[in-house]
Amino acid sequence: MGKSWLMCVLLGTMAWGQAVPSAPPSPQPSQAPADNSAAVPPEAPVITVIGVCSAQTKAAAAKGTAAKPATAAKETAAKTPAADCKTVITKAEFEKLASAVAPNVTPQVKKQLAGVLPRFLGMSSEAKKRGLDKTAQFEETVKFAKMQILTTELQRKIQEDAAKVPPGEIENYYKEHAEAFEQFNVDRLFVPRTKQGDTEAKEEDEKDEKVSDEAKKAKEAEEKTKSDEAEQAMSKLAESLRARAAAGEDFAKLQKEAFEAAGMKIESPSVNLPSVRRTGLPPGHVAVFDLKVGDVSQVISDSGGHYIYKVNSKDHLTLEQATNEIHSKLQNDRTREMMDKVNNSFKVETNDMYFGPGGVGVAPPPRLPHPRPMPQTAPPQQTPPPAQPPAETPN
């Protein structure tokens, strides 16, 4: 789920402290140094803050003060400089804090936390000396912070529970959605809806001087007639190319002819889609997946143009290949269900007279984690053909 709310506060404070001009950063090494942190024993100190007494030191001092007269205690305190006070944080203590602040903490985050932690210790110690932890404002701030942190912890717990998908559910999903894991190798021929030259000519006409309304209407009617005729010509071309494709002609050759006929000045796209799934084509093109191997589709027309497909081969992901993808899908579904159950367990009423017209609105739901990356054996979702011919066909 990323860094917790507390980590955001830590890093935000670090950024605030760095707003003060500082010396230029030293050049970064060309290669990251080796991580030797595992060799450091758990009890070894990793951060020492001189001038800030630890909680143990303060407790010992308080106990010693109770056994001595007040005058002697004052004299001892006067003789003890602030530099003799120190807070030592061991590796075990630091990693315990780091894990709570940012699960799956990285070496970079460790360094960022180590950069802000001494300042937090020093400034919070001074704040306590001034009694700022006894104010009503402090209590309300802590109350709100606890709610935020508990909300984050709940979301994290829900994600952990949702990730425990039983293997049986994965197998059942695979069997019930067998078509979703079919892979097709297809050739796709794209025929533009109209000719490129007609569009360019229209743009040139728009640059002409203004004409009368009647002349303008006549010109628009003429242009529409030409446009309709051009579209009809490209539709006939698509049918002709489809017949030739069904007769066994090469799709790459036909694609080149289609672009030349349309006056396209860009290189014709690759015609082969080696691994496409049912979700990889626009809804209007899904009839392609019902074809037999070797079949050529009818012309499929939409706002982008005309499309002709040929199925070269069909394959099917195994359960083992599809497991990660299915687990991710079910985990996300379970997370949403659990979050919806919590969010629907309460309702809100607000005073519109206090908050003004329209009330306070509805708070957006918490952001859910992104799905895990698809396994390499599962192809990425194909991009639907755009309005203009694709410059490059996705794999």
Side-chain angles (χ1 to χ4, degrees), residues 180-218:
F181 302 101
E182 291 178 334
Q183 289 187 144
F184 297 77
N185 181 304
V186 302
D187 288 338
R188 180 176 66 188
L189 174 59
F190 170 75
V191 182
R193 177 169 288 278
T194 188
K195 296 182 179 181
Q196 184 70 23
D198 295 336
T199 304
E200 294 177 353
K202 185 176 180 181
E203 292 176 352
E204 289 295 327
D205 291 341
E206 291 175 352
K207 297 179 182 178
D208 293 344
E209 296 180 0
K210 294 183 178 180
V211 295
S212 64
D213 290 343
E214 291 184 1
K216 185 176 181 180
K217 290 180 180 179

Side-chain angles (χ1 to χ4, degrees), residues 100-142:
V101 169
N104 302 319
V105 63
T106 64
Q108 182 62 28
V109 172
K110 285 183 181 180
K111 290 183 179 180
Q112 292 174 330
L113 178 58
V116 298
L117 188 55
R119 185 183 305 119
F120 273 32
L121 289 170
M123 297 188 75
S124 62
S125 176
E126 179 62 24
K128 289 179 180 179
K129 292 177 182 178
R130 300 187 184 192
L132 299 182
D133 59 332
K134 307 299 182 183
T135 64
Q137 180 179 347
F138 175 79
E139 292 180 0
E140 292 302 315
T141 303
V142 170

